[in-house]
Amino acid sequence: MKFFIPLILVALPWSLVADAGVRFNRDVRPILADNCFACHGQDAKHRKAKLRLDERNGALAERDGVRAIVPGDLAKSEAWNRIISKDGDEVMPPQDSHKELSEDQKNVLREWILQGAEYEKHWSFVPLARQEVPKVKEVGNPIDAFLQERLKKEELKVN
């Protein structure tokens, strides 16, 4: 039990900001970091095809009439076409990387592109913003108000 409380305190901020849409920092960046950034990240010495996926400008830039990501358009997004390709020479991540995207990861990337492929600054560069404390009855402190609001949203009851 004494290990459960710190886990709740660490997970609480993420659960409070969770929403129905796909978000770059929360959902997409971890997928790209694990599977794509080694070849398509900030390290120019290791970058393949002069493509950067860690920055919006690089991902949306046109190269030889092709764009890696076209917000809202899967068919025109070459990165998506490579992700779903069955051709071993075209599929991304490449077979020799020994990385493979799960169906869940593909769905996240698909939804992100369809939603407009919005990028976010790395969380460490985003200034903190004060959250308004939810108006909840019979709550002793603000943390409890956030917890109660989330529990209600998840349709969970606390005894």
Side-chain angles (χ1 to χ4, degrees):
M1 183 66 175
K2 68 180 180 179
F3 295 109
F4 186 67
I5 300 297
L7 180 61
I8 288 174
L9 293 177
V10 170
L12 177 63
W14 295 108
S15 66
L16 292 175
V17 297
D19 59 14
V22 176
R23 296 200 30 217
F24 183 76
N25 280 342
R26 183 190 66 208
D27 306 310
V28 176
R29 187 185 299 272
I31 297 170
L32 297 180
D34 289 344
N35 297 285
C36 308
F37 288 172
C39 297
H40 302 294
Q42 66 183 13
D43 187 353
K45 291 180 185 176
H46 293 99
R47 193 173 307 135
K48 307 284 190 213
K50 299 179 184 174
L51 172 61
R52 281 191 79 164
L53 292 175
D54 62 321
E55 293 182 337
R56 183 175 174 83
N57 289 342
L60 274 56
E62 187 172 317
R63 287 172 198 74
D64 300 324
V66 177
R67 291 174 30 189
I69 297 175
V70 177
D73 193 336
L74 291 173
K76 292 181 182 175
S77 297
E78 184 64 18
W80 177 250
N81 293 324
R82 296 286 187 108
I83 287 169
I84 63 170
S85 177
K86 302 295 183 201
D87 183 344
D89 294 331
E90 297 289 323
V91 70
M92 287 292 153
Q95 293 174 341
D96 63 357
S97 72
H98 306 292
K99 295 177 186 260
E100 188 174 337
L101 296 173
S102 71
E103 288 304 313
D104 286 342
Q105 290 172 320
K106 289 178 185 179
N107 287 335
V108 167
L109 295 175
R110 178 182 171 280
E111 288 304 312
W112 175 66
I113 293 170
L114 288 174
Q115 285 178 195
E118 288 298 322
Y119 276 71
E120 296 173 304
K121 290 182 182 179
H122 189 275
W123 66 265
S124 64
F125 297 114
V126 178
L128 295 176
R130 183 170 294 280
Q131 299 291 315
E132 185 173 326
V133 177
K135 306 226 183 312
V136 179
K137 295 178 183 177
E138 302 177 20
V139 173
N141 67 54
I143 293 174
D144 290 336
F146 284 106
L147 284 169
Q148 291 297 324
E149 179 185 58
R150 183 59 187 226
L151 290 171
K152 183 177 179 183
K153 180 179 177 184
E154 298 294 332
E155 298 179 0
L156 299 171
K157 294 183 180 185
V158 176
N159 292 336

